[in-house]
Amino acid sequence: MPILAQSARPKATIVALTEHPSARAGESARVALRVSLPEGLHTQSNKPRDPLLIPTELTIDAPAGVTVKEIVWPRSTDLKQAGQDQPLAVFEQTFAIGGELAIASSVPAGRLVVPAHLRYQACDANLCYAPSTAQAEWTLEIVAAGKTANGAGDPIFATIAFGTGDAPVATAPAAPRAVAASSGDGIATLDQFTELGMNGGYLNADEFLRFVHNAENGVKERGMFEGRGPLMILLLVLIGGLALNLTPCVLPMIPINLAIIGAGAQAGSRSRGFLLGSAYGFAMALVYGAIGLVVILTAGTFGTINSSPWFNLGIAILFFVLALAMFDVLLIDFSQYAGTLGTSSSKGTFALAFSMGAVAALLAGACVAPVVIQVVLFSSNLYATGTKMALALPFCLGVGMAIPWPLAGAGLAALPKPGMWMVRVKQAFGVFIMATAIYYGYEAYSIFANRWVDPAAVESSVKNQLKAGWHASLAEGLDVAQREQKPVLIDMWATWCKNCLTMDKTTLENADVQKALAGYIKIKYQAEDPDQAPAKTVMQRFNAAGLPTYVILRPTK
């Protein structure tokens, strides 16, 4: 979904360091943060040359008896960037920030924790991502005055120019008051409104008009499979798994693998052959199900991962290569190695049948792997939307592949003869795989394009909307809507959001859209940092994943 694209952002690794693990009351202690960004990224310095850029800021929550004497920033690096008259002052991929804490003699001996918050905006050579705030804390063991504070110093402190730093501009305890003042208390007023609809990402004029129409008429847009029969989805995946047995990498191996596990004619009885084939097939289904569960359940942040342009580009390349294999341009087939396994005297055992089934699932080759990967990715996306049934899809695919094995093991099924038709089946799969590659490639391009934006252009566009009658204050707009009993459109935006600018210049300028919104109170709500209140509170209230997000409300009578 386009709405997910803006929510992804690279994260810095923050390590809190102390020059010494202990400190004496009545003296000073030096601390530092080591900041590491993914390769190729930087942050703006604490004093960027362009006032529109977001500086790197460190806030220290000094506990009682502790005073922040200075914050020592690293020397910034000049970075020449296209479209900029002067080079940017940036911090490179890895840097250290120092701090000196004055500890009063009244601080009691024991463990002292000093929290800190680092706000930064990661950028590469061409674009900047949404700002993030990382949490960190230093832990010091305070010893009484006159006692020895021991512990070896960290080498990183020798690189920090203590004594040349800046006094802290503000401390974290003052933040709640500033937030309350800036939020205008409009969040509490939202309780007096009913949500009619929510959407996000770029919407063309027709899509936006449909969104408004559905919200006004109480029409809830269904998800991809909402109300469409989950059993039918499982059935389709099951049939897809069954069809995989007809590919050239699988079908010719069935008689060979039956002989290896001692099923079929070698089983001695149909019941034993049926059980051996069942063990073989169940292992296949279990492997695919396990792979799916691992990927889905460990991908709680799959929406974020999937909204990374590099992830989508990597998946596009992977599926492109797999599609070439389906058309026999490349050869990717490990099934030939399956026949070399299980040749010991233990043929015919259920353990061997189960082991061979598991191995066969992993070595199915190019005829199976693309479909398995596609089903797993599809299941991850579906599960991220709250559809629990998605957990069963990879296992269901494996069950489809497993269906012929109990029957073939019992000698109850006649296998179709190999031929050119198998190549056509494989090529049909290849068409779908190539379409998937094109889809992910387009997604990568879209996400990259959506992040190329001039913050000044976004701000200028918003100012034009405010002049046209939009409200910049959430509280003010909601108050007007209550007094006049009018519906409300909230447009959440940020200076780093390319689609926000595009919407202002296209869809929201459309005559039909403006006519449809003529009776609305329209609010431009700036959610510059979705990780911080009040933007975080508002976005969570409406389950907004990214920007732009549009919410239609109606005053509760």
Side-chain angles (χ1 to χ4, degrees):
M1 291 179 62
I3 192 171
L4 291 175
Q6 296 288 3
S7 64
R9 71 199 76 170
K11 297 293 185 180
T13 300
I14 311 294
V15 179
L17 302 169
T18 57
E19 187 175 26
H20 303 288
S22 60
R24 280 197 296 265
E27 297 186 359
S28 296
R30 290 176 173 178
V31 295
L33 290 182
R34 183 169 61 225
V35 184
S36 301
L37 289 162
E39 185 176 357
L41 298 182
H42 61 267
T43 70
Q44 303 300 328
S45 72
N46 60 310
K47 296 178 180 178
R49 295 187 178 97
D50 186 342
L52 294 177
L53 297 177
I54 297 175
T56 300
E57 299 176 334
L58 175 61
T59 303
I60 300 176
D61 294 349
V66 176
T67 303
V68 182
K69 295 175 63 177
E70 67 171 346
I71 294 177
V72 186
W73 296 95
R75 184 184 296 274
S76 63
T77 302
D78 287 345
L79 174 66
K80 182 63 178 177
Q81 192 170 43
Q84 297 287 338
D85 297 331
Q86 58 182 343
L88 302 177
V90 304
F91 294 148
E92 296 292 357
Q93 177 183 348
T94 301
F95 57 93
I97 307 169
E100 186 165 4
L101 309 176
I103 303 172
S105 57
S106 59
V107 175
R111 184 169 175 266
L112 177 69
V113 176
V114 183
H117 320 278
L118 182 70
R119 186 172 188 262
Y120 63 93
Q121 184 179 36
C123 304
D124 60 26
N126 298 304
L127 56 95
C128 286
Y129 300 88
S132 296
T133 300
Q135 312 299 327
E137 63 179 30
W138 295 287
T139 302
L140 290 166
E141 189 67 28
I142 303 301
V143 299
K147 292 191 176 182
T148 302
N150 51 33
D154 192 290
I156 198 172
F157 287 87
T159 67
I160 301 174
F162 286 99
T164 64
D166 302 327
V169 176
T171 56
R177 292 192 296 272
V179 167
S182 63
S183 68
D185 206 25
I187 296 176
T189 312
L190 290 171
D191 294 333
Q192 303 173 35
F193 287 78
T194 301
E195 179 184 343
L196 301 181
M198 189 274 288
N199 211 324
Y202 175 77
L203 303 175
N204 61 34
D206 290 338
E207 292 169 333
F208 194 88
L209 288 170
R210 183 167 61 250
F211 159 62
V212 174
H213 176 270
N214 289 343
E216 292 175 343
N217 291 276
V219 178
K220 298 293 184 181
E221 295 193 32
R222 296 186 298 178
M224 186 181 300
F225 293 103
E226 185 179 348
R228 300 178 189 268
L231 293 180
M232 180 59 66
I233 304 170
L234 292 173
L235 179 61
L236 291 175
V237 173
L238 188 74
I239 294 173
L242 182 62
L244 290 178
N245 289 293
L246 302 178
T247 55
C249 301
V250 179
L251 184 62
M253 296 299 298
I254 292 180
I256 299 173
N257 289 337
L258 285 175
I260 292 175
I261 65 175
Q266 297 84 13
S269 68
R270 285 190 172 182
S271 60
R272 180 174 176 78
F274 182 87
L275 293 175
L276 288 170
S278 298
Y280 185 98
F282 177 71
M284 296 178 67
L286 197 62
V287 166
Y288 292 133
I291 291 173
L293 282 177
V294 168
V295 173
I296 296 171
L297 294 181
T298 59
T301 57
F302 188 82
T304 300
I305 297 172
N306 193 38
S307 61
S308 164
W310 298 109
F311 173 83
N312 283 273
L313 181 60
I315 293 298
I317 294 173
L318 172 63
F319 274 98
F320 178 74
V321 172
L322 293 174
L324 293 181
M326 301 295 275
F327 295 116
D328 293 324
V329 177
L330 298 175
L331 178 62
I332 309 175
D333 184 10
F334 300 105
S335 60
Q336 56 184 311
Y337 300 113
T340 64
L341 303 174
T343 56
S344 66
S345 60
S346 59
K347 291 181 182 179
T349 67
F350 293 104
L352 175 64
F354 186 88
S355 300
M356 282 297 300
V359 171
L362 296 174
L363 299 182
C367 296
V368 174
V371 180
V372 174
I373 294 172
Q374 195 168 26
V375 169
V376 169
L377 289 175
F378 168 73
S379 303
S380 297
N381 279 298
L382 195 58
Y383 183 75
T385 66
T387 306
K388 305 300 182 183
M389 177 210 65
L391 292 172
L393 292 183
F395 179 77
C396 194
L397 180 74
V399 170
M401 286 195 69
I403 287 175
W405 288 93
L407 302 177
L412 300 178
L415 298 176
K417 295 182 179 180
M420 182 55 66
W421 64 270
M422 291 192 310
V423 177
R424 299 290 178 255
V425 170
K426 186 173 73 169
Q427 291 173 345
F429 277 115
V431 172
F432 288 104
I433 300 303
M434 183 61 76
T436 302
I438 295 172
Y439 167 78
Y440 277 102
Y442 179 77
E443 284 293 298
Y445 166 77
S446 298
I447 296 172
F448 273 125
N450 288 342
R451 290 172 175 170
W452 255 292
V453 61
D454 179 4
V458 182
E459 287 190 327
S460 175
S461 175
V462 171
K463 289 178 180 178
N464 290 335
Q465 296 284 17
L466 298 180
K467 292 177 181 178
W470 288 64
H471 295 268
S473 167
L474 179 64
E476 176 186 297
L478 294 178
D479 183 60
V480 173
Q482 282 186 311
R483 291 200 312 268
E484 301 181 5
Q485 285 296 296
K486 289 183 177 181
V488 178
L489 171 69
I490 302 176
D491 178 358
M492 303 183 197
W493 68 281
T495 58
W496 45 263
C497 171
K498 172 71 176 294
N499 278 335
C500 299
L501 176 62
T502 305
M503 284 292 295
D504 282 352
K505 297 296 186 183
T506 58
T507 301
L508 296 180
E509 290 293 324
N510 180 273
D512 292 334
V513 171
Q514 291 185 344
K515 181 179 179 180
L517 297 178
Y520 280 72
I521 302 300
K522 300 179 285 293
I523 302 172
K524 279 284 188 179
Y525 183 80
Q526 186 172 8
E528 193 67 27
D529 190 345
D531 287 338
Q532 294 295 305
K536 181 177 181 180
T537 305
V538 175
M539 293 186 69
Q540 286 181 340
R541 183 186 186 98
F542 299 114
N543 294 318
L547 301 177
T549 290
Y550 318 101
V551 181
I552 293 180
L553 306 174
R554 180 181 60 203
T556 302
K557 295 181 180 180

